[in-house]
C-alpha cells in the first residue's frame, strides 16, 4: 500500500514538473511574440532619425551579440553546400526581408506592414504545395490563418482614425507592395 501511494505521488510530481516545463516554453513563446510584434512600431519610431539601412545594421549587430552570448562558438557544417544554403537563407530570409520591411515602413503604416507580413505563412504553404508537399494545406491551416488575419484587422482598424480608412495614396500602395514582397521573400 505504501509503495502504491508513493508511486502515485511520484506520478503527480512528475506531471507537475512537466506542466511547469511546458509553461516555461509557453512564456518564452509569448515573450518572442511580444518582441516580434513591437518591432514594426519601434522600427517606425526609429525611422524618424535613422535610415532603413542603419536600422538593419543595428538589428544585425544586436542579434549577433545576443547569439554570441547564447551560443558562443562557431557552428561548423559538414558540407560546403550547406554553408552556401545557410548564406542564401540569411541573405533572403533575413537581410532582404528586414530591408524590405524597413523601407515599407517609410511609405505606409506599421499596422499595414504587420497585417501584410503576417501573410507569409500562407505564402510558405503555397510555395511548399507548389513544390509537391501538400501536407501543410488543410482546413485547420486555413481556419487558423483566417482567425489570425481577422485579429490583425480588428487590432489595426481599432488603431486607425476614420480618415485613415479612406486615405490610400500612391505612397501607401508602394509601401504595401514592399511589405508584400517582404512576406514573399520570408516565405522563400
Amino acid at each position: 500500500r505504501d509503495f502504491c501511494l508513493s508511486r502515485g505521488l511520484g506520478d503527480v510530481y512528475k506531471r507537475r514538473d512537466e506542466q511547469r516545463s511546458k509553461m516555461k516554453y509557453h512564456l518564452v513563446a509569448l515573450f518572442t511574440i511580444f518582441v516580434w510584434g513591437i518591432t514594426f512600431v519601434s522600427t517606425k519610431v526609429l525611422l524618424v532619425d535613422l535610415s532603413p539601412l542603419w536600422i538593419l545594421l543595428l538589428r544585425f549587430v544586436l542579434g549577433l551579440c545576443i547569439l554570441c552570448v547564447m551560443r558562443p562558438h562557431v557552428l561548423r557544417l559538414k558540407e560546403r553546400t550547406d554553408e552556401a544554403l545557410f548564406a542564401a537563407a540569411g541573405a533572403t530570409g533575413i537581410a532582404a526581408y528586414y530591408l524590405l520591411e524597413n523601407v515599407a515602413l517609410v511609405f505606409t503604416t506599421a499596422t499595414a506592414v504587420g497585417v501584410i507580413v503576417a501573410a507569409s505563412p500562407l505564402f510558405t504553404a503555397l510555395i511548399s504545395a507548389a513544390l509537391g508537399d501538400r501536407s501543410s494545406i488543410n482546413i485547420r491551416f486555413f481556419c487558423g490563418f483566417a482567425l489570425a488575419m481577422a485579429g490583425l484587422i480588428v487590432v489595426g482598424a481599432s488603431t486607425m482614425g476614420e480618415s485613415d480608412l479612406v486615405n490610400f495614396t500612391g505612397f501607401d500602395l508602394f509601401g504595401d507592395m514592399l511589405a508584400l514582397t517582404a512576406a514573399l521573400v520570408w516565405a522563400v
Side-chain angles (χ1 to χ4, degrees):
R1 177 186 157 127
D2 289 337
F3 173 75
C4 292
L5 183 60
S6 66
R7 184 173 169 216
L9 285 176
D11 290 342
V12 169
Y13 289 129
K14 183 178 179 182
R15 273 187 262 128
R16 188 183 70 191
D17 290 342
E18 288 173 358
Q19 288 174 341
R20 283 185 180 168
S21 178
K22 286 181 183 178
M23 180 59 72
K24 178 177 75 170
Y25 293 117
H26 282 92
L27 290 175
V28 169
L30 285 174
F31 177 73
T32 303
I33 292 167
F34 172 75
V35 169
W36 199 301
I38 64 171
T39 60
F40 300 107
V41 176
S42 58
T43 301
K44 189 77 172 171
V45 170
L46 287 173
L47 283 168
V48 171
D49 297 318
L50 300 171
S51 74
L53 282 172
W54 272 110
I55 295 170
L56 181 69
L57 179 67
L58 290 173
R59 183 175 284 184
F60 270 78
V61 169
L62 181 63
L64 178 65
C65 292
I66 291 170
L67 286 174
C68 286
V69 168
M70 291 175 64
R71 189 169 179 113
H73 65 278
V74 176
L75 176 65
R76 303 252 184 250
L77 300 173
K78 294 178 183 176
E79 301 289 329
R80 295 295 276 175
T81 56
D82 291 343
E83 289 185 24
L85 287 173
F86 270 73
T92 60
I94 304 298
Y97 166 78
Y98 281 115
L99 181 61
L100 287 165
E101 178 189 293
N102 291 352
V103 175
L105 285 166
V106 170
F107 296 103
T108 191
T109 65
T111 302
V113 173
V115 169
I116 293 167
V117 167
S120 63
L122 175 66
F123 296 135
T124 303
L126 293 175
I127 290 169
S128 177
L131 294 174
D133 180 13
R134 300 203 190 306
S135 64
S136 59
I137 304 290
N138 57 38
I139 191 69
R140 289 180 59 199
F141 172 81
F142 284 111
C143 288
F145 180 76
L147 185 63
M149 284 291 118
L152 286 168
I153 290 168
V154 167
V155 169
S158 68
T159 61
M160 297 170 111
E162 195 172 306
S163 64
D164 291 335
L165 293 175
V166 293
N167 186 19
F168 293 107
T169 64
F171 287 124
D172 289 341
L173 183 60
F174 180 67
D176 293 347
M177 291 297 111
L178 285 173
L180 186 64
T181 305
L184 285 167
V185 164
W186 183 263
V188 172

